[in-house]
Amino acid sequence: MTRTRSPQSRSPRRFGALRSWLGWTVKLSLVGLVVLAGFAVYLDAVVQEKFSGKRWTLPAKVYARPLELFSGLKLSKQDFLTELDALGYRREAVAGPGSAAVSGNTVELHTRGFRFYEGDEPARAIRVRFSGDYVAGLSGADGGDLAVVRMEPLLIGGLYPAHNEDRILVQRNELPPYLVETLVAVEDREFFSHFGVSPKSIARALWVNAAAGGVVQGGSTLTQQLVKNFYLSNERSLVRKATEAMMAVLLELHYDKDEILEAYLNEVFLGQDGNRAVHGFGLASQYFFGQPLAELQLHQVALLVGMVKGPTYYNPRRNPERALTRRNLVLDLLAEQGVIDAEQVAAAKQKPLGVTSRGSLANSSHPAFLDLVKRQLREDYQEADLTEEGLRIFTSFDPILQNKAEAAVHDTFKRIGKGGDPVEASMVVSNPETGEVLALLGSRQPRFAGFNRALDAVRPIGSLIKPAIYLTALEQPSQYTLTSWLADVPFSVKGQDGQVWRPENYDHQAHGDIYLYQGLVNSYNLSTAKLGLELGVPSVLKTLARLGVDREWPAYPSMLLGAGALTPMEVSSMYLTIASGGFNTPLRGIRSVLAADGEPLKRYPFQIQQRFDPGAIYLLQNAMQRVMREGTARSVYNQLPRSLNLAGKTGTTNDSRDSWFAGFSQDLLAVVWLGRDDNGKTPLTGATGALRVWTDFMVKANPLPLDMPVPDNIIQAWVDARSGQGSEQGCPSAVQMPYIRGSEPPPGGACGLPQQAPVGNVQDVIENVQDVMDWVRDWSN
């Protein structure tokens, strides 16, 4: 007999199974809640730790020198306007900081103000009046004269951390009109009312996406976008999305809307500049418009906000039509939501995109100078300090002179037809009075951040060494003066290794007996090398060290003709001592450093040490001025006025592998090198290559004439140009020459008495009489 179970017997078992299942569900739910709570606690700690602490690693910002305006400043109106353009000043009616208007020779503007090492420079309305190449007047808005006004400096680059993120932090009170309203209208209409996530926005996005059959709209709030950018990756998954939502809610629990909005404005990605990521509206404003964020107008605000959706897709430089359509769509949306009226929309749509041709803050703008700044900073700061702490570095960089140096190299190569060959270039421009580096080129391509030839190309300097030889001699006035006789004749020297050294002149000719100064003026190798051997090679090398050359060279005779190698920067240091009257001043590019909060950290003061007798330097400068008027560099006066006193020296190495020129005025010292990186031959001498670049630069720079004060131990004596003996002032061949007191020739007799001529080739001396007389006439004027 078979027994069957009744429904009553099965019911308790079913109930037991259900109860067991519910029990496990409750337990698992409790465990899940505990895990979720723990995860929420963890996320809460993550949110607070980063948001309340150091939110960003900030690169150091490097600034050019501030332009200091005062009556009498050598500055043309065009150069001033060029600097205003670089600073992003708007040409319009002067109505606030960052605006400028031009009327004839007068420029009215409203400066922006800036915090310097010494304190704050206030924003103010000023009027600058020009006359020729000078500032003729400086007054304030009330018409009263101003003694000096310091403009804000140009930001020329930064020192970036490994991830290459860059940003300019802005605060809520520094935002332009309509930025917040536009951002909220386009990206998150319920921002000020939701709690981190917006169910309404999510539902609307789901409906729109379902209707479109794909993802065409997102439901993320500004807070969620900030969380994603600030804490999470771009991974697309439900787990990542849920984590994002939780962190957004936690963020809103701890911080108010203004703090969250400010963080978003500084974090959002808005473009890529090479390997540098442009984050935040502050940097994007400078990068795309060359203006501080606070000065942006409605149409510019609409463009930047429109780019949030796709910075690459809507890049106004690469895709201007697409960017314009997006900008106008944002303007229409503002009108729909009542933020602006139809008249404002119409006016804004008439505006062009107005972006600059390239990023004004590109870290490749001036790579050679930034390289110099980095090297000098590393002597005092660690790498992390330079790339993460937001230091503000104030330098001596002059953007006007940098542009002129770049143009000089470009224009010269265009004229001499070397545009396609491998000849390279570098240039260092400095101030002889302060030792500050004003401009620097490490390549013919000044934007290329590659090998910095100005700092790293160690090349033989050729005849640039010769001033050191003549200075060594002139420091011994009892034996050598400018009119001492030298023998420019062939000779040979046998070295310790048995090798015979036979120098030759560039023209392969010997010139007999010449004046000492003529050996330098004409860059004769024979007489110069013979003089150096008389003085002793070790003595010349000691003079080089006193001039600022910090390299150990062997005391070989060939060193007297420039076999030793230096970088253009080292040559600049050497010639700076000559140009400054014998005072050695270390070259520097940095003036001061501020912390991110404006706290002063370090100043780099002017240092000076007198290393030479001013009289000997005065005589050397006299001879170097003759180089420009009578000698190897006389072609400069084909382009420059003869009233402009300049001093310099050409340099050419064997087979014209290196073309050098180093020369200075009262306010500018420029050293130019041309050559090939593979040390190959070039068709350029110092006079046909580097000198042309230097001359073109000086034409553009309009320097002050060299005007060295006459030292107390210098006297002027009248001598016969043919013999170098003393002469009366009115004699036909009498010229005035400087001497260190006590070394001058004894006074001469009557003009009619015969002069004792030196033994040797007198004809070469006679041929230079007229040149000497012409030079003295110009020099005395």
Side-chain angles (χ1 to χ4, degrees):
M1 178 177 177
T2 303
R3 298 179 63 181
T4 60
R5 292 180 181 176
S6 66
Q8 289 83 1
S9 64
R10 291 198 298 268
S11 186
R13 291 189 179 185
R14 289 179 178 175
F15 179 75
L18 179 61
R19 184 171 57 186
S20 176
W21 181 82
L22 288 174
W24 278 107
T25 301
V26 171
K27 291 176 182 178
L28 289 174
S29 298
L30 290 174
V31 171
L33 287 173
V34 171
V35 172
L36 184 63
F39 186 54
V41 170
Y42 165 75
L43 290 181
D44 188 64
V46 170
V47 165
Q48 292 191 67
E49 180 182 10
K50 185 170 183 179
F51 207 83
S52 298
K54 182 180 175 181
R55 299 179 187 176
W56 297 284
T57 56
L58 299 176
K61 297 298 184 184
V62 182
Y63 294 89
R65 59 91 187 97
L67 184 59
E68 294 187 345
L69 301 171
F70 54 88
S71 293
L73 173 67
K74 185 171 75 71
L75 177 71
S76 69
K77 184 184 77 170
Q78 185 54 54
D79 284 345
F80 183 53
L81 294 177
T82 298
E83 178 130 349
L84 290 183
D85 290 340
L87 288 167
Y89 273 68
R90 307 177 304 279
R91 299 285 184 87
E92 59 185 24
V94 180
S99 57
V102 182
S103 176
N105 287 326
T106 300
V107 179
E108 295 186 38
L109 67 148
H110 198 299
T111 66
R112 295 189 175 110
F114 198 83
R115 169 169 282 189
F116 292 96
Y117 189 94
E118 301 81 4
D120 291 337
E121 180 78 16
R124 64 175 88 182
I126 64 171
R127 181 180 293 108
V128 188
R129 185 168 52 84
F130 292 88
S131 177
D133 292 328
Y134 289 84
V135 174
L138 183 66
S139 58
D142 58 358
D145 290 340
L146 297 173
V148 63
V149 171
R150 184 161 47 172
M151 300 286 296
E152 71 272 22
L154 179 68
L155 180 57
I156 61 173
L159 310 180
Y160 301 101
H163 54 63
N164 278 320
E165 284 187 10
D166 193 10
R167 53 179 51 81
I168 295 176
L169 295 183
V170 295
Q171 297 179 341
R172 184 73 165 80
N173 59 0
E174 298 174 327
L175 305 181
Y178 299 112
L179 176 56
V180 172
E181 296 89 337
T182 305
L183 183 64
V184 169
V186 174
E187 294 294 325
D188 187 0
R189 299 180 189 179
E190 286 84 30
F191 174 74
F192 289 104
S193 59
H194 63 61
F195 51 89
V197 295
S198 174
K200 186 189 298 184
S201 297
I202 295 173
R204 181 171 59 247
L206 290 173
W207 176 264
V208 172
N209 292 337
V215 179
V216 297
Q217 189 177 106
S220 295
T221 64
L222 284 178
T223 312
Q224 287 176 270
Q225 292 180 41
L226 175 61
V227 165
K228 182 187 71 173
N229 295 333
F230 210 55
Y231 299 99
L232 305 174
S233 68
N234 288 324
E235 174 195 1
R236 293 192 174 189
S237 68
L238 289 176
V239 173
R240 205 276 294 160
K241 197 69 178 175
T243 302
E244 174 190 295
M246 288 181 62
M247 294 180 79
V249 172
L250 292 169
L251 193 64
E252 297 253 2
L253 283 174
H254 292 290
Y255 305 99
D256 62 37
K257 293 288 186 180
D258 277 350
E259 287 182 280
I260 294 171
L261 183 63
E262 185 178 292
Y264 180 91
L265 291 167
N266 286 306
E267 174 61 25
V268 63
F269 174 70
L270 284 169
Q272 192 73 29
D273 173 34
N275 62 352
R276 180 183 67 144
V278 178
H279 284 261
F281 281 86
L283 180 60
S285 175
Q286 288 282 6
Y287 179 64
F288 287 108
F289 301 114
Q291 295 176 236
L293 180 62
E295 295 177 11
L296 294 194
Q297 300 175 21
L298 174 60
H299 67 286
Q300 296 168 312
V301 167
L303 175 61
L304 290 185
V305 171
M307 290 174 60
V308 171
K309 184 178 180 181
T312 302
Y313 188 79
Y314 295 112
N315 186 311
R317 292 196 183 100
R318 296 182 180 178
N319 306 300
E321 294 183 1
R322 194 181 291 163
L324 183 64
T325 300
R326 175 66 177 169
R327 183 200 72 177
N328 292 344
L329 180 64
V330 170
L331 292 170
D332 290 335
L333 185 60
L334 291 177
E336 290 176 13
Q337 297 189 28
V339 177
I340 58 177
D341 56 34
E343 185 177 346
Q344 289 174 293
V345 171
K349 285 185 176 181
Q350 293 299 314
K351 301 277 188 179
L353 289 175
V355 295
T356 57
S357 58
R358 65 179 180 86
S360 61
L361 304 184
N363 63 343
S364 59
S365 293
H366 306 291
F369 189 85
L370 289 178
D371 187 19
L372 171 67
V373 170
K374 291 177 190 177
R375 298 187 194 197
Q376 294 186 347
L377 283 173
R378 285 177 182 141
E379 298 176 7
D380 299 304
Y381 297 93
Q382 298 181 0
E383 191 68 22
D385 296 329
L386 300 178
T387 59
E388 298 179 4
E389 298 300 325
L391 300 182
R392 301 165 72 189
I393 317 297
F394 296 94
T395 73
S396 54
F397 182 82
D398 189 319
I400 295 175
L401 289 177
Q402 177 73 21
N403 289 341
K404 292 179 178 181
E406 294 174 7
V409 171
H410 176 270
D411 295 348
T412 302
F413 272 95
K414 190 175 180 179
R415 283 196 301 272
I416 64 179
K418 302 297 171 188
D421 67 18
V423 174
E424 262 295 347
S426 69
M427 188 172 183
V428 181
V429 180
S430 57
N431 184 325
E433 297 175 344
T434 65
E436 291 185 327
V437 179
L438 308 177
L440 197 69
L441 274 75
S443 167
R444 277 176 61 184
Q445 299 175 319
R447 305 287 174 265
F448 179 64
F451 181 53
N452 191 342
R453 294 163 187 82
L455 304 184
D456 297 323
V458 183
R459 305 293 294 235
I461 62 173
S463 295
L464 291 189
I465 197 175
K466 290 177 180 176
I469 300 172
Y470 287 88
L471 178 58
T472 306
L474 293 170
E475 283 193 294
Q476 305 174 42
S478 62
Q479 299 182 56
Y480 300 98
T481 69
L482 291 178
T483 53
S484 295
W485 290 98
L486 300 180
D488 191 70
V489 295
F491 69 95
S492 62
V493 176
K494 189 173 183 178
Q496 294 180 352
D497 57 358
Q499 296 291 321
V500 177
W501 183 56
R502 293 187 178 89
E504 285 189 335
N505 284 328
Y506 182 77
D507 61 2
H508 305 293
Q509 302 292 320
H511 301 279
D513 290 329
I514 61 171
Y515 287 133
L516 181 142
Y517 81 85
Q518 289 175 320
L520 182 62
V521 167
N522 297 297
S523 201
Y524 291 150
N525 291 335
L526 294 175
S527 52
T528 302
K530 201 168 185 64
L531 174 63
L533 290 173
E534 290 177 8
L535 297 167
V537 178
S539 296
V540 174
L541 295 182
K542 288 180 181 178
T543 299
L544 281 168
R546 291 160 62 203
L547 285 170
V549 175
D550 189 21
R551 282 188 184 268
E552 294 293 332
W553 284 342
Y556 298 150
S558 59
M559 290 295 171
L560 297 171
L561 298 182
L566 297 175
T567 66
M569 193 73 171
E570 290 172 315
V571 171
S572 295
S573 180
M574 169 185 169
Y575 274 77
L576 186 69
T577 306
I578 299 173
S580 64
F583 292 87
N584 179 259
T585 304
L587 284 166
R588 61 194 177 108
I590 306 170
R591 291 181 174 178
S592 59
V593 179
L594 292 183
D597 60 0
E599 183 71 19
L601 292 181
K602 183 176 177 63
R603 299 197 72 164
Y604 292 78
F606 175 57
Q607 299 177 15
I608 191 168
Q609 181 184 32
Q610 184 172 356
R611 293 189 176 179
F612 293 92
D613 171 60
I617 291 290
Y618 184 88
L619 296 181
L620 179 63
Q621 284 197 9
N622 182 289
M624 293 176 70
Q625 289 181 59
R626 293 170 181 247
V627 171
M628 312 297 285
R629 295 189 179 277
E630 309 167 25
T632 56
R634 60 186 177 274
S635 64
V636 298
Y637 289 111
N638 294 335
Q639 298 184 56
L640 291 164
R642 293 189 65 85
S643 59
L644 180 64
N645 280 337
L646 300 166
K649 184 69 188 75
T650 54
T652 310
T653 60
N654 291 340
D655 299 319
S656 297
R657 298 176 191 275
D658 300 276
S659 170
W660 288 93
F661 189 79
F664 51 92
S665 65
Q666 187 69 25
D667 56 340
L668 292 175
L669 163 66
V671 173
V672 180
W673 169 85
L674 304 181
R676 292 174 52 157
D677 289 337
D678 62 2
N679 199 34
K681 299 179 182 179
T682 77
L684 303 172
T685 66
T688 62
L691 177 61
R692 292 190 181 185
V693 175
W694 188 91
T695 303
D696 193 285
F697 169 72
M698 286 296 179
V699 169
K700 293 176 168 62
N702 188 25
L704 294 172
L706 184 61
D707 183 23
M708 183 180 176
V710 180
D712 293 338
N713 63 341
I714 290 291
I715 66 167
Q716 301 290 335
W718 289 95
V719 299
D720 186 279
R722 296 168 299 180
S723 66
Q725 296 180 0
S727 174
E728 291 187 352
Q729 178 175 351
C731 295
S733 60
V735 294
Q736 200 172 34
M737 296 288 292
Y739 294 87
I740 292 179
R741 191 180 306 277
S743 67
E744 70 276 12
C751 298
L753 293 179
Q755 299 287 340
Q756 180 180 351
V759 178
N761 188 354
V762 180
Q763 185 60 38
D764 285 344
V765 178
I766 296 174
E767 289 176 356
N768 283 285
V769 169
Q770 189 59 48
D771 284 340
V772 174
M773 296 180 69
D774 290 343
W775 178 86
V776 172
R777 188 182 303 110
D778 290 333
W779 178 81
S780 61
N781 291 332

